[in-house]
Amino acid sequence: MSSPHIGVLSIQGDVREHLHALERAGARSSAVGSQDALRDVDGLVIPGGESTTISKLAVADGLMEPLRSARAAGLPMFGSCAGMIMLADRVEDARPDQEFIGGLDMVVRRNAFGRQVDSFEVDLSVPDIGADPFRAVFIRAPWVESIGADVEVLARVQRGGDESTIVAVRQGPLMATAFHPELTGDARIHELFVEMVREQA
Ligand code: GLN
């Protein structure tokens, strides 16, 4: 499968930017807003946006269970920002009624950086995509508080002193970033996901 078909969950959020980034990374991409469309794809991106809204609308549209089933059946998924929250097994500072797809064995804190600063950009070291730093855009981003033994850390951000926080992870066919790789024109994170989808096929 040289050019896998990867969907972008089109409930809410920056869908178009992910579609373009996936095309640049060598995939065929299309918006996924229904159960039928979900059956059609080899992998799925959950975009950034607002996880409470994505969650509420996914439940209302009858998509939450199909998303959980697809994930449990091994469909590769990549969540950025709100999408990272959607793929977490446990979420701190979630709305009490907020539902998730889950699958990544980690605790994520919503709006974690927001207490200090709302949005920022930083050059991150992401060894899995090469030596050049990746310009990461964080917008009311979550961070990863803790991970299970099977979760691989892809990137950390320095927070002053010796403190660093996990902001990108991978576990089996699932990947998540607290930042927005679709916003910078650097397709290497999407290429990494496209490669994961190829391996899974
Ligand atoms: N703070 C948002 C949430 O909780 C995520 C922000 C984003 O995706 N840019 O869903």
Side-chain angles (χ1 to χ4, degrees), residues 4-8 32 41-45 75-77 193 197:
H5 180 191
I6 301 183
V8 179
V32 167
V41 294
D42 306 311
L44 186 71
V45 171
L75 184 74
M77 293 189 181
F193 183 58
V197 173

Side-chain angles (χ1 to χ4, degrees), residues 12 14 47-54 80-85 93 98 110-112 137-142 178 180 182:
Q12 186 258 351
D14 50 355
E50 177 49 55
S51 64
T52 52
T53 306
I54 294 173
S80 72
C81 203
M84 169 183 257
I85 295 167
D93 282 350
Q98 198 173 344
R110 279 186 69 219
N111 302 329
V137 180
F138 291 82
I139 305 167
R140 291 185 299 286
H180 289 264
E182 73 283 8

Side-chain angles (χ1 to χ4, degrees), residues 2-83:
S2 61
S3 185
H5 180 191
I6 301 183
V8 179
L9 186 67
S10 62
I11 292 177
Q12 186 258 351
D14 50 355
V15 176
R16 191 148 27 103
E17 292 83 350
H18 274 291
L19 291 171
H20 290 154
L22 286 166
E23 298 279 335
R24 280 202 306 276
R28 287 175 296 128
S29 68
S30 61
V32 167
S34 71
Q35 218 172 320
D36 278 350
L38 183 60
R39 280 193 209 101
D40 248 24
V41 294
D42 306 311
L44 186 71
V45 171
I46 322 284
E50 177 49 55
S51 64
T52 52
T53 306
I54 294 173
S55 166
K56 200 171 7 170
L57 294 177
V59 171
D61 294 349
L63 271 174
M64 191 61 92
E65 277 312 321
L67 285 166
R68 288 184 182 133
S69 306
R71 199 275 301 155
L75 184 74
M77 293 189 181
F78 163 37
S80 72
C81 203

